[in-house]
């Protein structure tokens, strides 16, 4: 095996700016960089030149097709491959071609993607448009090499049918509003503020042969039955443990694949649960980070298959052990290098930081419901609000030092007053370093300040990170906008800033919580504070169409009211469909696999009982077991019938929202009732007779 040269392979499958510079005429390249930096559109002439250069590069590297790569509301990516093939000339010679028009715009049939009612009111046709800020790349799969062009996906009347369009809009909004803030503080040379995101991705690996024996994993991505293994995560020996050889080989391959497409895979380690792992890239511009996270998830699945494993991205593949999430690290930085979440070294920077912090407190408190919604998906319902981290209540963790600063700012009256403890004397000395301290970081907080960024920890492992970042950008943009509106007109700027910081921090200090977010006391305390505790995805969906939400998103042109309504509708649809598949899978497994196995086992027991009796020995134990098995079997059968019944009822419902709630309130409990006796039976029935691999095998045979 040759030596791996990371520098050489990094980005080899990306049509980087560097490659464009090499291959494009100077003026075309200049136009491209201008559009990347300032927005706008490429002229058709330049688009043609770029398309040709891109195609030449792709073909030289073995590509046969191109694809507009987009992110419909399914949460995953979509692609339709078109070969570069054209009609041959009369001699039969064919020349591969790719035009500027094909680069810039595509027309996939929108009618088969979820539109949440947008389709009813508007045309079914949709189009994809090149997101020039995210570079094109070559995807290597069994189909050969495909040139993928990251695109936004909209209806012909301009409604966003995807997750990327609103994200791009939100990035513009926060840039514009954050600029107003930094300009007020004298940074007038800044012309753009960029939201940066680093997403830490958790996942499980499982042996492919075991996976294939479980219909639940195949159809739903999680186990629907399964008694706990004798060993779970209680020994705490997996987190940061030595990586097993097979997993190591997977990680090695995965890194290589990711580096090739320009993803800065950086950190890898074992997670809390057995067979659970994490990968984190270095943070990047928000839209690129979103694209990259999609690629990370896709690549994980593909590489796992090569290693005769499967990668489970579901938020809760196994009951009773840690689930998977995605920490969304977020910060905002000016184009002249100032991170607005960095406390800085000078008093001026400190005050700007405190204002930004105050605005974020206001944003998160005002829109806690929306932020929680942005991290919801069906799988994540098993984590948020369930007995496992993080809680469904949004709160902010600041760390001891910074919380103390906020407390003092709130308590001191006048804007010119002194912050006690020698930490901050407004306008004179500076804030202490809030370097994150690994020892006292609060792992239970859903939204934690970690030195120079916020870490949003609610996001589910399988979900796109587009929505969380769209919402974050939007709510912070709104707070910045309101602050700037007041400060720009202030007679005494310094005084006004201090008043504003104090006002926002006082009004919104209830959102700060530094304690144990998993405790029962916090749930009560949060209720007292009036913080929302939204338990499920479908309960969260309604937050999208409150007056408050519509006003926010409309104001900054991020979502129209129709776009919001469509997203709410899709949530109900997706929820009902997902639970429906899970319920049907359970019925199938119970009826076709578990019940027959249990019957076989009882038959064996009954025969033993008879044989024992014939031999003149009273089979007391066998009879007791047989009874228990029979009772549980009856319980199972009854529960299965009940589940079939409510499934039928759900199928007859026509109102999408009502149906979704019926699934949550009636079908899900019926599924739990079926699982309980089945799991109890698994503990009794002969292991060789149990129809599929157990938790112990699934988690420890990797
Ligand atoms: P951990 O949270 O495990 O301690 P780190 O804090 O080092 O790990 O980084 C986690 C993720 O946060 C990485 O993807 C990293 O690139 C990203 N990150 C670091 N600094 C920033 C920042 N200023 N803005 C956004 N993301 C960042
Ligand atoms: Mg982290």
């Amino acid at each position: 095996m040759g030596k791996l040269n990371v520098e050489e392979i990094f980005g080899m499958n990306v049509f980087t700016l560097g490659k464009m510079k090499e291959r494009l005429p100077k003026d075309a390249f200049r136009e491209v960089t201008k559009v990347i930096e300032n927005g706008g559109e490429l002229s058709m002439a330049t688009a043609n030149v770029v398309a040709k250069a891109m195609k030449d590069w792709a073909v030289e590297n073995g590509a046969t097709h191109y694809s507009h790569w987009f992110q419909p509301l399914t949460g995953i990516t979509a692609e339709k491959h078109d070969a570069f093939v054209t009609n041959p000339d009369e001699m039969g010679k064919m020349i591969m071609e790719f035009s500027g028009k094909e680069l810039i715009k595509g027309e996939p049939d929108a009618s088969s993607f979820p539109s949440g009612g947008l389709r009813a009111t508007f045309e079914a046709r949709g189009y994809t448009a090149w997101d020039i800020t995210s570079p094109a790349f070559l995807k290597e799969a069994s189909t050969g090499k495909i040139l993928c062009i990251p695109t936004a996906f909209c209806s012909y009347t301009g409604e966003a049918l995807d997750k990327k369009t609103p994200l791009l809009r939100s990035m513009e909004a926060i840039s514009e509003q954050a600029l107003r803030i930094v300009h007020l503080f004298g940074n007038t040379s800044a012309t753009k503020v960029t939201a940066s995101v680093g997403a830490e991705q958790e996942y499980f690996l499982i042996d492919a042969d075991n996976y294939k024996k479980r219909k639940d994993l195949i159809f739903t991505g999680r186990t629907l039955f399964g008694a706990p293994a004798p060993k779970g995560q209680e020994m705490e020996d997996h987190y940061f443990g030595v990586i097993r050889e097979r997993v190591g080989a997977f990680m090695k391959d995965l890194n290589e694949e990711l580096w090739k497409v320009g993803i800065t895979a950086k950190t890898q380690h074992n997670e809390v649960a057995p067979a659970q792992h994490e990968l984190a890239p270095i943070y990047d511009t928000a839209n690129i980070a979103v694209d990259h996270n999609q690629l990370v998830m896709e690549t994980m699945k593909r590489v796992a298959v090569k290693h005769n494993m499967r990668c489970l991205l579901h938020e809760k593949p196994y009951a009773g052990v840690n689930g998977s999430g995605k920490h969304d690290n977020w910060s905002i930085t000016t184009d002249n290098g100032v991170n607005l979440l960095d406390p800085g070294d000078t008093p001026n920077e400190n005050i700007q930081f405190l204002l930004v912090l105050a605005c974020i407190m206001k944003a998160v408190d005002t829109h806690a419901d929306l932020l929680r919604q942005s991290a919801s998906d069906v799988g994540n319902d098993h984590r948020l609000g369930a007995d496992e981290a993080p809680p469904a209540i949004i709160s902010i963790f600041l760390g001891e030092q910074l919380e103390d600063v906020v407390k003092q700012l709130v308590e001191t009256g006048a804007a010119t007053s002194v912050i006690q403890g020698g930490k901050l004397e407004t306008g004179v000395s500076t804030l202490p370093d809030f370097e994150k301290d690994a020892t006292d970081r609060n792992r239970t907080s859903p939204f934690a300040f970690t030195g120079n960024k916020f870490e949003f920890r609610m996001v589910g492992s399988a979900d796109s990170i587009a929505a969380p970042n769209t919402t974050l950008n939007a709510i912070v943009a709104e707070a910045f906008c309101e602050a700037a509106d007041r400060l720009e007109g202030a007679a005494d700027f310094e005084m006004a800033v201090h008043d504003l910081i104090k006002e926002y921090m006082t009004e919104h200090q209830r959102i700060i919580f530094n304690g144990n977010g998993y405790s029962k006391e916090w749930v009560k305390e949060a209720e007292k504070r009036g913080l929302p505790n939204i338990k499920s995805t479908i309960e969260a969906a309604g937050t999208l169409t409150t007056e408050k939400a519509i006003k926010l998103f409309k104001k900054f042109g991020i979502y129209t009211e129709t776009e919001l309504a469509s997203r709410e509708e899709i949530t109900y649809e997706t929820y009902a469909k997902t639970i429906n598949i899970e319920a049907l899978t359970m019925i199938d497994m119970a009826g076709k696999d578990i019940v027959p196995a249990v019957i076989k086992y009882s038959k064996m027991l009954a025969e033993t009982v008879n044989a024992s009796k014939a031999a003149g020995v009273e089979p007391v134990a066998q009879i007791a077991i047989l009874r228990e098995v029979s009772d549980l079997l009856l319980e199972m059968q009854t529960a299965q019938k009940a589940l079939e019944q409510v499934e039928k009822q759900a199928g007859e419902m026509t109102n999408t929202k009502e149906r979704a709630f019926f699934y949550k309130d009636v079908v899900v409990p019926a599924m739990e009732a079926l699982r309980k006796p089945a799991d109890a039976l698994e503990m009794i029935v002969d292991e060789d007779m149990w129809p599929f691999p157990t938790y112990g095998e699934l988690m420890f045979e990797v």
Side-chain angles (χ1 to χ4, degrees):
M1 207 168 58
K3 203 171 111 213
L4 179 70
N5 186 332
V6 181
E7 282 182 19
E8 222 161 77
I9 65 162
F10 188 84
M12 66 183 267
N13 285 344
V14 186
F15 196 55
T16 54
L17 218 49
K19 292 194 184 90
M20 283 204 239
K21 193 171 180 185
E22 263 167 41
R23 287 167 178 266
L24 291 178
K26 268 206 182 72
D27 51 340
F29 180 71
R30 212 174 302 125
E31 195 179 322
V32 167
T33 48
K34 216 176 106 199
V35 173
I36 289 177
E37 272 159 32
N38 309 327
E41 273 173 36
L42 284 186
S43 66
M44 197 39 85
T46 305
N48 279 325
V49 174
V50 176
K52 179 163 187 314
M54 197 186 272
K55 186 261 308 174
D56 287 346
W57 167 78
V59 170
E60 276 164 35
N61 284 283
T64 52
H65 292 69
Y66 74 92
S67 170
H68 276 202
W69 187 72
F70 58 103
Q71 302 173 21
L73 297 170
T74 50
I76 52 172
T77 58
E79 51 194 78
K80 179 185 110 203
H81 305 163
D82 275 299
F84 294 115
V85 171
T86 55
N87 259 337
D89 63 16
E90 49 287 18
M91 295 295 132
K93 167 125 182 84
M94 190 279 293
I95 293 173
M96 289 171 111
E97 265 175 19
F98 182 51
S99 69
K101 197 168 150 273
E102 287 168 308
L103 166 64
I104 289 177
K105 203 164 179 175
E107 299 190 13
D109 179 6
S111 62
S112 298
F113 293 105
S115 77
L118 285 178
R119 210 162 41 234
T121 19
F122 303 98
E123 280 184 280
R125 283 194 308 162
Y127 69 92
T128 48
W130 184 25
D131 170 13
I132 194 171
T133 58
S134 184
F137 59 93
L138 293 178
K139 196 191 248 184
E140 279 183 89
S142 53
T143 44
K145 285 192 190 175
I146 313 288
L147 170 67
C148 289
I149 299 153
T151 55
F153 178 43
C154 294
S155 78
Y156 255 89
T157 39
E159 273 78 20
L161 292 169
D162 68 347
K163 304 211 168 207
K164 177 170 238 181
T165 307
L167 175 75
L168 293 172
R169 295 171 180 164
S170 77
M171 289 169 69
E172 275 180 34
I174 195 157
S175 175
E176 202 176 304
Q177 301 308 324
L179 271 182
R180 293 174 67 191
I181 301 289
V182 298
H183 287 170
L184 279 167
F185 282 87
N187 183 354
T188 45
S189 58
T191 61
K192 191 174 169 179
V193 174
T194 306
S196 302
V197 170
E200 305 164 59
Q201 176 73 47
E202 292 182 334
Y203 61 97
F204 279 87
L205 288 174
I206 175 174
D207 182 82
D209 298 329
N210 281 336
Y211 171 90
K212 286 178 196 157
K213 290 179 192 145
R214 302 265 330 198
K215 289 179 199 158
D216 46 6
L217 288 177
I218 293 171
F219 295 134
T220 74
R222 73 178 182 105
T223 53
L224 300 167
F225 294 102
K231 182 182 177 197
Q233 62 194 49
E234 62 277 57
M235 299 300 285
E236 297 173 340
D237 54 355
H238 193 256
Y239 191 59
F240 283 16
V242 176
I243 293 165
R244 268 154 304 158
E245 284 297 295
R246 187 179 183 191
V247 174
F250 160 84
M251 287 178 171
K252 178 172 175 288
D253 254 14
L254 174 64
N255 285 332
E256 219 171 301
E257 290 302 308
L258 294 177
W259 291 331
K260 282 201 253 173
V261 288
I263 296 175
T264 49
K266 172 93 177 162
T267 318
Q268 60 196 25
H269 60 80
N270 285 353
E271 260 299 330
V272 175
Q276 191 187 26
H277 310 279
E278 182 184 292
L279 177 137
I282 298 173
Y283 66 97
D284 210 328
T285 310
N287 62 320
I288 296 175
V290 168
D291 287 358
H292 280 180
N293 183 249
Q294 292 290 351
L295 273 179
V296 164
M297 293 194 282
E298 203 179 303
T299 311
M300 281 176 167
K301 287 187 172 171
R302 188 162 47 80
V303 174
V305 171
K306 275 210 290 198
H307 288 256
N308 200 35
M309 293 192 284
R310 290 292 183 273
C311 173
L312 304 178
L313 293 172
H314 195 283
E315 285 80 5
K316 197 76 177 176
Y318 307 111
V321 297
N322 199 50
S324 298
K326 194 138 49 185
H327 290 180
D328 187 86
N329 294 269
W330 176 90
S331 66
I332 34 179
T333 311
T334 64
D335 55 350
N336 53 13
V338 181
N339 177 356
L340 274 71
L341 296 181
D342 195 328
D345 304 318
T346 66
N348 189 50
E349 286 168 345
N350 281 176
I351 296 178
Q352 178 181 301
F353 168 74
L354 289 173
L355 176 67
V356 167
L357 182 66
C359 286
I360 293 177
M361 283 172 62
K362 177 180 154 87
V364 173
D365 185 28
T366 309
H367 297 294
D369 57 341
L370 277 178
L371 204 52
R372 188 267 181 261
Q373 186 284 327
S374 76
S376 65
D377 73 12
V378 192
N380 222 9
D381 279 3
H382 296 281
R383 299 172 66 237
L384 304 181
D387 268 342
E388 196 204 308
I393 307 161
I394 294 270
S395 62
I396 301 180
F397 170 79
L398 291 180
E400 228 176 280
Q401 277 182 314
L402 191 51
E403 193 196 8
D404 184 50
V405 170
V406 170
K407 195 165 153 254
Q408 291 182 57
L409 277 170
V410 167
E411 282 166 8
T412 358
T416 48
S417 69
V418 176
I419 301 302
Q420 286 142 35
K423 279 182 184 143
L424 174 77
E425 190 178 337
T426 306
V428 182
S429 73
T430 60
L431 280 174
D433 262 351
F434 296 123
E435 276 310 306
K436 73 174 180 199
D437 171 2
T439 55
D440 77 353
R441 284 172 63 194
N442 186 334
R443 309 296 303 181
T444 66
S445 174
F447 198 76
F449 180 70
T450 45
N452 61 0
K453 60 182 161 77
F454 272 99
E455 194 167 328
F456 185 29
R457 304 197 181 116
M458 265 192 178
V459 186
S461 50
D463 208 4
S464 158
I465 55 169
N469 291 299
T470 304
T471 300
L472 253 176
N473 292 339
I475 64 176
V476 176
E478 184 188 55
F480 283 167
C481 177
E482 283 171 27
D485 282 348
R486 279 183 39 189
L487 295 175
E488 281 166 357
D492 180 345
F493 174 69
E494 227 168 89
M495 181 72 97
V497 171
H498 288 271
D499 286 352
L500 205 64
I501 292 174
K502 181 163 184 282
E503 180 189 316
Y504 282 6
M505 286 186 173
T506 309
E507 248 169 61
H508 301 287
Q509 59 178 321
R510 66 170 183 172
I511 198 72
I512 307 291
F513 179 65
N514 280 2
N516 178 6
Y518 297 1
S519 69
K520 298 240 176 341
E521 292 75 47
W522 169 230
V523 177
K524 275 193 220 123
E525 165 68 18
E527 200 184 329
K528 243 192 274 161
R529 294 189 192 184
L531 300 176
N533 183 2
I534 307 173
K535 296 263 170 47
S536 69
T537 294
I538 52 174
E539 284 159 286
T543 65
L544 287 171
T545 48
T546 61
E547 218 174 288
K548 172 173 78 86
I550 294 170
K551 188 169 151 254
L552 160 75
F553 288 122
K554 243 169 122 172
K555 178 169 181 180
F556 296 100
I558 295 167
Y559 292 110
T560 63
E561 192 169 345
T562 326
E563 286 170 343
L564 287 167
S566 74
R567 276 145 186 86
E568 180 182 352
E569 182 74 5
I570 288 170
T571 308
Y572 299 135
E573 269 172 25
T574 308
Y575 186 88
K577 281 183 193 161
T578 307
I579 306 293
N580 179 45
I581 295 171
E582 290 187 350
L584 293 180
T585 305
M586 281 190 93
I587 292 168
D588 186 287
M589 290 171 82
K592 292 195 192 140
D593 301 326
I594 303 177
V595 169
V598 175
I599 290 175
K600 224 188 269 171
Y601 180 65
S602 348
K603 180 168 171 261
M604 191 193 81
L605 273 176
E607 282 167 6
T608 319
V609 168
N610 285 339
S612 210
K613 277 187 177 158
V617 181
E618 192 52 26
V620 185
Q622 289 92 324
I623 289 174
I625 297 173
L626 186 56
R627 279 225 175 87
E628 198 184 349
V629 169
S630 298
D631 289 350
L632 285 167
L633 190 59
L634 180 63
E635 192 185 331
M636 244 193 100
Q637 202 197 17
T638 314
Q640 190 187 323
K641 287 272 165 300
L643 181 58
E644 282 167 6
Q645 174 59 32
V646 294
E647 257 294 288
K648 198 164 149 267
Q649 261 175 280
E652 286 159 4
M653 299 179 76
T654 48
N655 180 303
T656 328
K657 182 174 176 181
E658 274 168 27
R659 186 170 56 214
F661 276 89
F662 183 82
Y663 270 106
K664 176 174 88 66
D665 297 329
V666 181
V667 178
V668 168
M671 288 163 63
E672 281 159 9
L674 176 57
R675 177 171 183 155
K676 213 172 120 252
D679 287 0
L681 281 164
E682 188 189 320
M683 303 293 285
I684 304 171
V685 172
D686 184 342
E687 198 170 359
D688 293 334
M689 290 188 175
W690 198 250
F692 31 74
T694 60
Y695 268 23
E697 288 162 316
L698 296 179
M699 283 187 275
F700 291 93
E701 284 181 7
V702 182

